[in-house]
Amino acid sequence: MFKRWLTALTLLTTSTIFAQSIRPPATPLVTVDPYTSVWSFGDQLAGSVTKHWTGKPHPMDGLIRVDGKAYRFMGAAAAEMKTILPTAKQEAYTAKFTTTKPDPKWWFKDGYNISTWKQGPAPFGTHERNDAMLQGGTEFPQELWYRREFNLTNIDFEKPVLNIFHDDDVQVFINGVPAFDCAPCFTGDYEFKPISPAAAKALKKGKNTLAAYVKNGAGPGYIDIGLADEIAPKGADVVALAKQTGFEMTATQSIYNFEAGPVQLQVRFVAPLIMKDMNLLSRPVNYVVYEVKSTDGKQHDVSILNAVSGLWATNDASQSVVGKEANQDGLTTLSLANSVQNLLAKKGDDVRIDWGQAYLAAPQGTVKGSAIGLSTDIIKEFASKGSLSVDQAGAAPADTKSMGLILNAGKVGSESKSLHTLLAYDDGYSVQYFGQNLRPWWNREGNKTIAGELKGAENDFAKILQACEETDKTIYDDAFKAGGKQYAELCVLVYRQAISAHKLVADPTGTPLFFSKENFSNGSIGTVDITYPSAPLFLLYNPTLLKGMMEPIFYYSESGKWTKPFAAHDVGTYPLANGQTYGEDMPVEEAGNMLILTYAITKAEGNTDFAKKHWKTLSVWANYLKKEGFDPANQLCTDDFAGHLARNTNLSIKAIMGLASYAKLAEQLGDSKEATEVNALTKDFAQKWMQMAADGDHYALTFDKKGTWSQKYNLVWDKLLRLNVFPETVARKEITYYLTKQQPFGLPLDSRKTYSKSDWIVWTATLAEKFEDFQAIIQPIYKYANGTTDRIPLSDWHETTNGKSVGFRARSVVGGYWMKVLGERWK
C-alpha cells in the first residue's frame, strides 16, 4: 500500500538538506496566494494556533495516535474567548470623547473632569474607512481621546485581553493603569491583544473605566475596544504534546521532527512554487507529508489526524460555512465553503477570502476516517477513540466547524512509512480586471476543475516532490555562491513569501498577469513600487512573471484609461484591478521603475520583444523624466512611509537609471539618434548630480540639505545593467560611509530615522566591491530576521536599533533579496 509514498519519501530523504541556523520569525505552512496563506507564528508547530499571514486564526490541527494514546503536533487547542465588554461590532455603546488635547498626565485617571467632553456612539473613525471598519459611529479628524465606563459583577477572570481595532497609534488604560501601548502601530481588523498584568489586576467589581487615545497617521483612522477573557482548554480537552525535536526550512518546504512516545514523526509542508512551471505554480494545491517509524524496535499502531478549520474559507468568524465530502479519482475529498458566496465582493488589505472552497484530500487507501463537524468534537473523538463519526455538514459558524481526515499507517516498525494529505483552494475567479472577472491561470480557459487538479497533484506526487528538491538546491546553491551562508539562509527564508504574495491569472487575450498584493501596507493590487523591489527573484528564474506584473500598468496607459505622462502607482485594491486607488501619484518613481525593469527584462531574455511592444508608452515616460526626473519636486518615492521629499538624490538616480535604460533600448531598437541624445543627457545629469549631492565623504539625502545621507540603492542598476553612467568612485565612497552608520540590526534607510528596509539594504550591499563589505552589511539583516521578537511573516520595514517591525509583513518585496545573485549571474 505504501510503495508509491515510499518512493516519494526516498526522493526527499536522499537529497541534500541544508544545515540551517536561522530561526524564521514565522514559518510558512501552506502558501498558495495572498488569500490561502497559513503560517506558524512561533518556534513550536504546536505552540500556537496556525494563522493567516494577517495574524487571524486559520487553524490547522495535527494529532498522532500511537497505541491508543494521542499527541498533538500541530496547532494549539483554541482558547475560548468569552466577552467581558463588547466592542461596537458586538453591541452598540456610547462613550465620552474629545479631539482637543487634554492634560497628558490626568485625562485617563478617575476623577479627571470630562464634563466638557462630547458623547457619541462607537466606533470612532475618520471620514475615510476601509472595508473591515464599521461605517457608523462618530467621526474624528486625526487624534481622539475617549473614556468608556462599564460595570462588572464578577472579576474572576482567567486571562483578560483587549478585543481591539486601532488605526493607527494607540494607548489604552484601565482604571488609570497603562494596559496597552503601541506606536508606530495599527491593526487592520479586530484583534485580541494582551494587557499588562497591572491593568488586569486593576479590574474591579462595580464601576470601571477604559480610556484610550488614538492617532491617525495616514489613510483611515479608527478605534473600537472591548474586553474578553481568554479561557484555555482544561481536563479531558487537553491532549499531550508530541516533543518537537528538530526543524528545517528549504525554499519550498518546512520540515518538523517529533517524538510521539516510541514513534518518530516527520511532518513536511510542501508548496510546489516552481517558477519555471507556471501551471504548477498556479495549481492551488500544497502537500503535508508525514513519515513515521518506531524508535524502540517494536511494532506500534499509528494513525494521524489532519483537520482544517472553516475559517480558511471566510473573512471572519461571523460568517458560516457548509461542508461536502466526495470520493472520486482515488481520493477522499472534503471541502468547506462560505454559506453565502459573494464573488470578488470584498476588497482591502487585512482581508481574507470569503468565496470559493477550501479542500482537504488524501488517497482513499490511506484514509481510516473522515468527518465534517465541530472542531472540538473531531479532536476529542480522534484523541479518545481513534475514529471520526461526526457528520455535521450543514451551516455553522466558521470558527466552530472543521473538516478532518484520519490517515492510517497501521503497524509501524523501524522501517519508515509515508502518508500525505493535499490542501487546496478553488477561488473560481481570482481578480477583477477593468470590469472583467478573471480565472486563475490553471483554469484560464474555464475547462478545468479542482477535482482534476487534485487528481493531477496526486498522480504527480513523486515527480513534484523531486522538482521541489531540485528547486530547494538551486535556490540555496545560487545564493550561497553569491553571498555566503547567512545570505543564502535569508533567501531561503523569504522564497515562498515573495512568490505567494501574488496571484497568476490570464488576461482576456491569454497573456499572463502576475498580480501582487500590498500586504499590510494598503492592499493595492499591481503596485509598481512593489514590483520594482521584488524584481530580482523573477528576473533570475522566470522573467515572464515580471512581465506579468508590468502588463497591467502598460495596459492602463495604452487603453487610454490612464492619461498622465508617467506610470500609475497601482491598478486598484486587491482583488479589484479596475484602476488606481492610491491617493497620490509617484511620477518620477513609477516612470523610472518601469523603464529600468523593461531593460532588465530585455537583458534577462536576450531580446527586445517586450520593449518593442510597449515602446510608445516607454517613450512618453522617458520624456517625462527628461524634464522632471533629475531634480525631483516634492513628491513621494517608493519609501512613501517616510513622507514627501523634494530634491531627493536617490530618486534622481532612479530617473537617471531609467533614462540610461531607455537609451540602451533605443539603441537596440535601432533609434541611434534618440540613444545618442539620451546617453549624453544622462552623462550630463550624472556630472551635475555628483557636484550637487557632494557632502564631503559621502553624498547627501537631498541636493539642498548638507549633513544628511541616504542609501543610494537605485545605483545598483548602473552596475548590474552596465549602464556606466556614474564612475565607480561614487558607489565606493558611499559603501565606505555606510559602514560607519551600521546599527545592530541593519543600515538605516537615511539620516532622518533609524528604521530601514531590508530589501534596500541588500541592494546597497550589492554595490560593495569587496565581499567582506557585502557580508558586513548583510550580517545585521540576518541578525534581525533571526532575532526579531515580532513573530510574524517577515516584515521588510524594521527598526535597526532593536530589530522590531515598524510596519508591513508578508510582502513580496523580499524578492529583492536576490539582487546579489542577479549581480553575480550578470557579471
Side-chain angles (χ1 to χ4, degrees):
M1 179 180 359
F2 295 100
K3 184 176 180 182
R4 180 147 56 101
W5 294 281
L6 282 171
T7 301
L9 177 65
T10 301
L11 291 170
L12 282 167
T13 56
T14 58
S15 61
T16 304
I17 297 296
F18 315 110
Q20 174 184 306
S21 55
I22 198 169
R23 178 232 63 181
T27 301
L29 303 179
V30 178
T31 46
V32 172
D33 58 30
Y35 282 139
T36 304
S37 182
V38 182
W39 300 63
S40 174
F41 279 47
D43 296 332
Q44 301 294 312
L45 183 60
S48 60
V49 174
T50 61
K51 299 177 182 180
H52 190 261
W53 66 259
T54 56
K56 291 295 188 298
H58 262 38
M60 178 164 53
D61 294 296
L63 279 70
I64 183 171
R65 207 163 185 268
V66 180
D67 297 331
K69 181 176 180 180
Y71 302 83
R72 176 181 284 274
F73 62 84
M74 174 168 57
E80 178 188 358
M81 307 305 291
K82 186 175 181 179
T83 298
I84 299 172
L85 179 67
T87 64
K89 187 174 184 179
Q90 296 169 310
E91 183 181 305
Y93 72 88
T94 62
K96 289 278 192 175
F97 72 95
T98 182
T99 57
T100 302
K101 186 175 183 179
D103 187 321
K105 294 182 179 179
W106 298 100
W107 71 270
F108 51 87
K109 294 187 177 180
D110 288 342
Y112 182 75
N113 183 6
I114 59 171
S115 60
T116 60
W117 288 24
K118 298 177 182 178
Q119 180 140 340
F124 298 88
T126 57
H127 177 70
E128 181 185 2
R129 308 275 179 100
N130 68 36
D131 286 355
M133 298 173 176
L134 300 181
Q135 300 303 307
T138 304
E139 287 188 12
F140 68 92
Q142 185 177 18
E143 291 183 281
L144 178 91
W145 295 258
Y146 90 96
R147 290 169 55 123
R148 178 185 184 188
E149 293 186 352
F150 60 99
N151 287 296
L152 293 176
T153 58
N154 170 50
I155 56 170
D156 185 20
F157 303 125
E158 187 170 315
K159 185 181 178 182
V161 297
L162 297 180
N163 186 0
I164 184 171
F165 190 160
H166 68 92
D167 191 348
D168 295 311
D169 305 348
V170 69
Q171 291 177 310
V172 182
F173 303 85
I174 293 176
N175 293 328
V177 177
F180 181 72
D181 188 341
C182 196
C185 188
F186 70 94
T187 65
D189 207 332
Y190 290 86
E191 294 185 12
F192 294 108
K193 297 287 188 180
I195 62 175
S196 68
K201 289 181 181 179
L203 289 167
K204 59 188 180 183
K205 288 184 178 180
K207 190 183 82 170
N208 291 261
T209 302
L210 186 151
Y213 161 71
V214 64
K215 179 180 180 181
N216 181 42
Y222 191 84
I223 186 72
D224 184 21
I225 308 173
L227 291 169
D229 191 16
E230 183 177 327
I231 302 171
K234 296 176 180 64
D237 294 339
V238 178
V239 178
L241 293 181
K243 181 181 179 182
Q244 185 171 310
T245 58
F247 169 75
E248 189 71 35
M249 185 173 175
T250 64
T252 66
Q253 303 176 63
S254 297
I255 307 158
Y256 294 86
N257 291 302
F258 300 92
E259 290 178 1
V263 168
Q264 179 178 295
L265 167 69
Q266 185 177 85
V267 184
R268 293 176 179 257
F269 300 89
V270 184
L273 298 178
I274 314 297
M275 280 193 281
K276 65 184 179 181
D277 186 337
M278 288 171 49
N279 289 327
L280 183 56
L281 183 77
S282 173
R283 178 187 280 167
V285 183
N286 278 199
Y287 304 98
V288 185
V289 183
Y290 303 101
E291 177 196 353
V292 290
K293 67 177 181 179
S294 169
T295 57
D296 64 0
K298 299 178 182 178
Q299 294 271 320
H300 300 281
D301 187 57
V302 176
S303 58
I304 294 170
L305 171 70
N306 193 167
V308 170
S309 167
L311 287 168
W312 283 42
T314 63
N315 177 58
D316 58 50
S318 68
Q319 298 170 304
S320 66
V321 292
V322 293
K324 291 182 180 179
E325 180 171 354
N327 287 285
Q328 63 184 88
D329 300 322
L331 294 172
T332 297
T333 303
L334 309 178
S335 66
L336 288 170
N338 192 345
S339 301
V340 179
Q341 291 282 306
N342 290 322
L343 178 69
L344 294 165
K346 193 184 298 290
K347 63 181 175 68
D349 185 11
D350 191 354
V351 174
R352 288 141 298 281
I353 195 167
D354 60 1
W355 74 91
Q357 299 85 31
Y359 288 87
L360 172 66
Q364 284 177 263
T366 66
V367 174
K368 180 181 177 182
S370 61
I372 296 172
L374 292 177
S375 310
T376 50
D377 288 353
I378 287 174
I379 290 170
K380 282 181 182 178
E381 183 177 356
F382 175 77
S384 61
K385 301 178 182 178
S387 60
L388 290 178
S389 60
V390 294
D391 182 13
Q392 299 164 341
D399 61 341
T400 67
K401 187 181 286 293
S402 288
M403 49 186 172
L405 289 175
I406 299 175
L407 305 182
N408 183 31
K411 294 295 182 180
V412 175
S414 56
E415 183 178 345
S416 295
K417 288 186 177 182
S418 182
L419 303 155
H420 66 271
T421 58
L422 300 91
L423 294 164
Y425 205 98
D426 181 14
D427 56 8
Y429 288 88
S430 303
V431 301
Q432 187 175 95
Y433 187 54
F434 294 101
Q436 182 168 349
N437 294 345
L438 301 183
R439 301 177 191 273
W441 179 262
W442 65 267
N443 192 27
R444 56 194 177 277
E445 296 176 359
N447 58 354
K448 302 287 183 66
T449 65
I450 190 64
E453 293 304 295
L454 286 165
K455 179 182 179 182
E458 176 59 25
N459 291 342
D460 297 339
F461 178 65
K463 183 174 69 174
I464 289 171
L465 263 59
Q466 182 176 13
C468 288
E469 288 290 303
E470 292 168 354
T471 296
D472 293 343
K473 187 174 189 309
T474 296
I475 294 300
Y476 183 88
D477 287 352
D478 286 351
F480 181 83
K481 290 172 185 175
K485 184 175 184 293
Q486 289 188 346
Y487 173 66
E489 290 188 9
L490 284 169
C491 290
V492 165
L493 172 68
V494 299
Y495 180 83
R496 277 170 279 172
Q497 174 174 319
I499 299 171
S500 63
H502 296 85
K503 186 68 178 184
L504 183 61
V505 301
D507 77 2
T509 70
T511 301
L513 305 179
F514 197 47
F515 284 108
S516 63
K517 180 177 187 291
E518 265 202 72
N519 291 342
F520 257 45
S521 38
N522 70 358
S524 291
I525 186 171
T527 306
V528 177
D529 53 278
I530 295 295
T531 296
Y532 177 69
S534 69
L537 173 63
F538 303 99
L539 283 167
L540 274 164
Y541 299 114
N542 191 347
T544 296
L545 295 172
L546 179 56
K547 291 190 291 186
M549 298 181 216
M550 298 169 67
E551 286 285 11
I553 298 295
F554 279 119
Y555 172 78
Y556 198 10
S557 285
E558 291 163 0
S559 65
K561 302 176 190 297
W562 177 263
T563 58
K564 298 177 183 180
F566 45 79
H569 168 271
D570 62 78
V571 289
T573 300
Y574 199 94
L576 306 182
N578 295 321
Q580 180 171 310
T581 51
Y582 193 66
E584 187 170 350
D585 299 328
M586 298 184 191
V588 173
E589 172 70 37
E590 312 303 19
N593 289 343
M594 293 295 285
L595 289 165
I596 292 167
L597 294 181
T598 300
Y599 182 53
I601 287 169
T602 295
K603 184 173 178 64
E605 293 191 324
N607 64 68
T608 58
D609 294 350
F610 189 61
K612 187 175 182 180
K613 176 182 177 182
H614 299 296
W615 186 244
K616 184 177 179 180
T617 304
L618 292 167
S619 297
V620 171
W621 295 339
N623 288 333
Y624 175 82
L625 291 183
K626 292 174 188 177
K627 299 173 183 177
E628 306 291 342
F630 170 69
D631 195 351
N634 188 36
Q635 58 185 251
L636 295 174
C637 70
T638 185
D639 305 315
D640 54 354
F641 52 83
H644 294 76
L645 188 64
R647 314 197 72 187
N648 182 340
T649 58
N650 189 45
L651 188 57
S652 176
I653 290 174
K654 177 166 290 181
I656 296 169
M657 294 295 100
L659 287 170
S661 297
Y662 175 74
K664 289 284 189 183
L665 290 170
E667 182 180 348
Q668 293 181 19
L669 289 169
D671 192 343
S672 57
K673 181 176 181 294
E674 179 75 348
T676 300
E677 291 178 358
V678 177
N679 271 325
L681 183 64
T682 58
K683 290 291 185 183
D684 179 57
F685 280 170
Q687 289 301 312
K688 288 180 180 178
W689 188 96
M690 292 168 63
Q691 294 168 9
M692 294 168 61
D695 194 10
D697 58 354
H698 68 285
Y699 296 94
L701 169 67
T702 67
F703 287 129
D704 58 345
K705 294 178 182 177
K706 305 306 178 186
T708 61
W709 66 274
S710 65
Q711 291 187 46
K712 308 299 190 299
Y713 54 81
N714 288 318
L715 191 61
V716 73
W717 295 109
D718 202 24
K719 178 179 179 179
L720 263 68
L721 296 174
R722 299 184 183 180
L723 300 173
N724 301 318
V725 176
F726 288 89
E728 294 178 356
T729 54
V730 173
R732 192 176 301 139
K733 179 186 285 191
E734 286 289 281
I735 290 294
T736 300
Y737 186 77
Y738 298 151
L739 291 171
T740 71
K741 296 296 181 180
Q742 294 260 77
Q743 294 290 329
F745 295 93
L747 177 67
L749 185 65
D750 58 50
S751 53
R752 291 174 291 178
K753 301 281 186 178
T754 53
Y755 58 55
S756 195
K757 291 277 275 84
S758 56
D759 47 334
W760 296 148
I761 295 176
V762 177
W763 288 33
T764 294
T766 303
L767 287 168
E769 295 174 323
K770 298 177 182 177
F771 187 66
E772 56 267 31
D773 290 345
F774 170 82
Q775 290 196 310
I777 296 173
I778 290 296
Q779 192 277 330
I781 310 176
Y782 183 90
K783 182 179 179 181
Y784 154 65
N786 190 55
T788 180
T789 56
D790 293 305
R791 306 312 299 270
I792 56 177
L794 188 71
S795 168
D796 54 282
W797 180 21
H798 73 277
E799 177 54 62
T800 62
T801 57
N802 60 17
K804 292 282 292 180
S805 167
V806 178
F808 310 156
R809 70 173 71 162
R811 301 207 310 163
S812 64
V813 300
V814 291
Y817 282 23
W818 273 265
M819 183 59 88
K820 179 64 172 176
V821 183
L822 186 64
E824 294 301 309
R825 177 78 57 86
W826 284 357
K827 267 188 177 180

